[in-house]
Structure formats: structure tokens, C-alpha cells
């Protein structure tokens, strides 16, 4: 490792390092749109890591599972309606999803409802 | 604005011709080929584009250009169709505003954000509200629900026994989360200031939250 990289490694925080490695990982996957470049209402494939999860009751009382997805370039909200939990979907899970983002009224972030998704196994080779 | 209307019945066609006249881009989707042919021949609908197809099928929704629609109106005579159209429009096509017609009042509880409905319109409920408004002095009449029931526009004509008669607008505000939107007095609309005093016979229009219903009633209507 060159000295410059070593120096950088010592001077950046853990948080920034995690963010960088996440960004690197996401950018290495083929054929997807970066969350920072998401266009509303276009069907697109996106990847990222779940940063946080929460259950939000909708107005009619059904639970909605809301995940915040991060890929180092931007963030996206995923909503699964009528769900409290989904096997394998936890903070830290990385996934590939396909959907048409709209604008989330509460957070002003792009949101995708009930997307088609695939979990990326933690120890998978980057392919 | 690009509006997609599903259902070429009386309701759908009326909306279509109204909107086309105000220069909106209108597409009507209808399953029944013969009905479409008849409506196309009718006058006043020259600028309305028709698509023959089942709006409940994803493959056919692509044809109607739902991905570029600003508003979708589900106006068929069948509630189940209206719900499926709303859900697909909202979740698959990210349509900003979805309006659905409720045919049977018993189904109204289903027309909410879980099914992708932003605004639902039920003729029987609307009529009830209008009748109530006509017959009631001293009753809180619900005129309109915003955002799936989170806030509502209500109207009260102050009766002589109303505890609010003589109060100022600021006193009313202090006691509750009430936004007084307008006061109608002697056929004049008054934009309420904090110091305006409410009088018997005033029609008071307010935006309140759904939970505050009982509070509003207690404040503005003396229970018998």
C-alpha cells in the first residue's frame, strides 16, 4: 500500500471508510443507476445497503416497512406495504432492486413501493 | 397536464370533455370497443385520445402512457377495478395524483393510501354532506377530507346556544388546533383576523384534524 493511501486510511474516520467501501462495492456491480443519479418515474435497477429500517403505521392502520437505502452516492426509501418484517432484510443488507421511483412526501427522497429485489449474499464475490 | 381517465362511462366522459376543454392532455382507457367507437363519434370529444384495453393489465397500461401521466382518475362503475387501477398507477407507475371513484359507500374504507388512492370521491357521501349542510344550524358538517382523513374541512353555522358566539378567532385558536379559514356573514366572506368576533348565524369554515372532532363539537356546538 503506498504511503499516501496509508496516510489517508489513518486520517479518515471509520464512518467515511465504510461509506467509501460501500461506494466502491456498489459501483463495481454492473448495469445499475447510482442513487445519486436516480430519475423519478423511470424504471431502473439500483443497488445499495440498508442503512436503517423502521415500521411506519399508515393512516389506515396497516404497518409499512420503510428502509433507507444508501449506495454512497445518494439515498432512496423503499416501502413494503402491509409488512412488519421481511426475512433477510436488515440494516446492513445489500440488495439489488428494480422499480420506478417517485418522490416521498415526508422525506423528499425518492421512494420505491414494493419493488422487485434480490438480496446480495454477504460473502459473495463481487459479481 | 396529462390526465389518464379509466372508464368511458358517463362519469369518465364528463370529466374527459371538461378537462379537454381546459386544454389538458386527456387519455381515456376503456375495455369495451363498441362503447369507444360510439364515444369517439360524439361531439365535444375531438381532442380526447381513446385507448381500447383493460387498465388492470400492466402490459396494457404501458400503452396508455401511465408513466408520463400527472393524474390518473379511476372512474369506472366497479370498485374493484378502480382499486386495482389506483394501486398499479401509484406503485408501478409512480403517478403523483390518483383519484378514485367510490361506487358503493360500503367500500369506501378500502380507498386509502394502501391502495394508492390520494383522493376518493363518493357521490352518496357527498350528497349526505350537502343535505346535512342544508338542514343543520349548530351542527358540525364535514365538507371534505384531505390526505386520506388526516385533516378535514368542516363547517358550522353558529346557533344561539353556541359557546363560541362572542369569542374572538384568537380565543378559538388558543383552545384547539383549529385553523379558521373563513367566516361567511350576511353573504360576505370574511378573512378572519385574530380579533374578529364570532357572531350567532355566522358560517364558520375550519380546517381541523380528524382526532379533534369531538373537541370542535364541544367548542362550537352546545350539546343538548
Amino acid at each position: 500500500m503506498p504511503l499516501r493511501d496509508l496516510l489517508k486510511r489513518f486520517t479518515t474516520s471509520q464512518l467515511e471508510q465504510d461509506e467509501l467501501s460501500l461506494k466502491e462495492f456498489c459501483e463495481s456491480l454492473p448495469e445499475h443507476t447510482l442513487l445519486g443519479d436516480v430519475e423519478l418515474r423511470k424504471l431502473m435497477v439500483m443497488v445499495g445497503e440498508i442503512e436503517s429500517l423502521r415500521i411506519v403505521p399508515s393512516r389506515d392502520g396497516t404497518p409499512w416497512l420503510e428502509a433507507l437505502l444508501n449506495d454512497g452516492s445518494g439515498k432512496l426509501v423503499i416501502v413494503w406495504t402491509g409488512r412488519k418484517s421481511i426475512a433477510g432484510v436488515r440494516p446492513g443488507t445489500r440488495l439489488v432492486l428494480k422499480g420506478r421511483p417517485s418522490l416521498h412526501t415526508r422525506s423528499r427522497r425518492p421512494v420505491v413501493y414494493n419493488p422487485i429485489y434480490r438480496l446480495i449474499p454477504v460473502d459473495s464475490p463481487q459479481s | 397536464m396529462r390526465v389518464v381517465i379509466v372508464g368511458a362511462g358517463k362519469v369518465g366522459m364528463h370529466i374527459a370533455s371538461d378537462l379537454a376543454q381546459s386544454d389538458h392532455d386527456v387519455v381515456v382507457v376503456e375495455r369495451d370497443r363498441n362503447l369507444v367507437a360510439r364515444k369517439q363519434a360524439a361531439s365535444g370529444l375531438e381532442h380526447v385520445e381513446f385507448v381500447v384495453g383493460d387498465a388492470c393489465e400492466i402490459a396494457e397500461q404501458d400503452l396508455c402512457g401511465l408513466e408520463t401521466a400527472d393524474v390518473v382518475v379511476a372512474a369506472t362503475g366497479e370498485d374493484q377495478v378502480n382499486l386495482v387501477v389506483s394501486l398499479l398507477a401509484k406503485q408501478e407507475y409512480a403517478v403523483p395524483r390518483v383519484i378514485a371513484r367510490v361506487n358503493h359507500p360500503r367500500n369506501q374504507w378500502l380507498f386509502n393510501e394502501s391502495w394508492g388512492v390520494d383522493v376518493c370521491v363518493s357521490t352518496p357521501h357527498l350528497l349526505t354532506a350537502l343535505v346535512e349542510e342544508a338542514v343543520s344550524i349548530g351542527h358540525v358538517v364535514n365538507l371534505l377530507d384531505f390526505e386520506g382523513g388526516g385533516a378535514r374541512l368542516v363547517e358550522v353555522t353558529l346557533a344561539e346556544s353556541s359557546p363560541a358566539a362572542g369569542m374572538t378567532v384568537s380565543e378559538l385558536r388558543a383552545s384547539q388546533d383549529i385553523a379558521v379559514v373563513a367566516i361567511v356573514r350576511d353573504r360576505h366572506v370574511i378573512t378572519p383576523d385574530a380579533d374578529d368576533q364570532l357572531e350567532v348565524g355566522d358560517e364558520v369554515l375550519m380546517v381541523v384534524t380528524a382526532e379533534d372532532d369531538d373537541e370542535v363539537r364541544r367548542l362550537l356546538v352546545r350539546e343538548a
Side-chain angles (χ1 to χ4, degrees):
Chain A
M1 186 178 283
L3 186 65
R4 195 158 47 100
D5 285 1
L6 204 64
L7 200 68
K8 199 174 166 198
R9 188 164 165 184
F10 285 129
T11 51
T12 49
S13 70
Q14 186 65 43
L15 198 71
E16 283 171 74
Q17 266 183 46
D18 287 351
E19 189 102 328
L20 277 174
S21 73
L22 172 65
K23 195 167 178 178
E24 225 165 73
F25 170 79
C26 290
E27 282 171 356
S28 72
L29 291 173
E31 303 201 359
H32 66 87
T33 311
L34 289 178
L35 296 183
D37 304 332
V38 154
E39 272 181 83
L40 296 183
R41 308 200 64 190
K42 294 264 161 51
L43 194 61
M44 48 186 73
V45 178
M46 296 154 279
V47 295
E49 183 178 278
I50 292 179
E51 193 176 273
S52 63
L53 266 184
R54 52 186 197 149
I55 298 165
V56 183
S58 75
R59 284 194 203 90
D60 57 73
T62 54
W64 288 16
L65 187 64
E66 216 179 85
L68 191 61
L69 195 75
N70 186 1
D71 74 348
S73 75
K75 289 179 187 182
L76 170 96
V77 180
I78 309 173
V79 173
W80 283 282
T81 56
R83 303 293 294 264
K84 275 187 190 152
S85 66
I86 290 175
V89 172
R90 287 186 301 270
T93 301
R94 292 178 176 179
L95 47 82
V96 183
L97 70 145
K98 187 177 175 187
R100 213 184 279 268
S102 55
L103 198 64
H104 197 232
T105 36
R106 212 163 339 110
S107 64
R108 312 306 293 170
R109 288 202 169 100
V111 58
V112 178
Y113 292 93
N114 304 314
I116 302 170
Y117 67 94
R118 184 168 58 82
L119 304 179
I120 304 173
V122 184
D123 51 0
S124 84
Q126 300 188 358
S127 62
Chain B
M1 216 165 43
R2 194 177 147 76
V3 185
V4 175
I5 297 167
V6 179
K10 283 202 188 74
V11 176
M13 291 324 298
H14 197 88
I15 306 168
S17 72
D18 269 7
L19 289 173
Q21 269 166 34
S22 16
D23 283 338
H24 292 298
D25 219 346
V26 182
V27 181
V28 174
V29 189
E30 169 61 51
R31 236 179 354 183
D32 184 347
R33 199 171 290 276
N34 300 329
L35 184 61
V36 170
R38 274 208 307 280
K39 298 288 180 187
Q40 260 170 332
S43 62
L45 297 169
E46 291 81 10
H47 303 294
V48 176
E49 185 189 328
F50 285 88
V51 175
V52 180
D54 186 348
C56 297
E57 289 290 337
I58 289 265
E60 295 181 22
Q61 288 200 327
D62 281 337
L63 294 177
C64 347
L66 272 194
E67 68 272 12
T68 55
D70 297 301
V71 182
V72 167
V73 185
T76 73
E78 290 175 69
D79 285 339
Q80 66 272 34
V81 174
N82 291 349
L83 279 175
V84 171
V85 168
S86 302
L87 183 73
L88 291 177
K90 191 51 127 193
Q91 296 199 351
E92 295 298 321
Y93 291 90
V95 175
R97 197 159 182 80
V98 177
I99 301 170
R101 168 186 174 193
V102 184
N103 294 284
H104 198 304
R106 215 182 266 169
N107 295 331
Q108 178 148 19
W109 65 277
L110 274 164
F111 287 73
N112 56 31
E113 67 178 340
S114 287
W115 280 93
V117 179
D118 291 313
V119 182
C120 69
V121 183
S122 160
T123 323
H125 279 200
L126 212 60
L127 285 177
T128 321
L130 290 175
V131 170
E132 276 182 339
E133 188 205 33
V135 297
S136 62
I137 289 184
H139 285 99
V140 179
V141 180
N142 195 5
L143 294 180
L144 192 66
D145 285 345
F146 301 113
E147 293 247 352
R152 50 182 54 166
L153 179 69
V154 298
E155 190 255 348
V156 188
T157 305
L158 294 185
E160 246 168 88
S161 60
S162 168
M167 265 193 196
T168 62
V169 170
S170 63
E171 281 173 316
L172 194 63
R173 269 194 214 133
S175 44
Q176 199 54 47
D177 282 338
I178 297 174
V180 180
V181 185
I183 301 168
V184 184
R185 182 180 298 161
D186 302 330
R187 295 182 174 271
H188 289 292
V189 179
I190 302 168
T191 313
D193 276 332
D195 298 327
D196 277 333
Q197 205 163 40
L198 300 174
E199 291 174 9
V200 173
D202 281 358
E203 256 181 84
V204 187
L205 289 155
M206 291 159 293
V207 175
V208 300
T209 58
E211 302 88 64
D212 290 336
D213 248 15
D214 291 339
E215 273 298 302
V216 171
R217 200 157 290 138
R218 194 180 57 73
L219 267 169
L220 292 155
V221 183
R222 166 139 320 146
E223 303 294 343

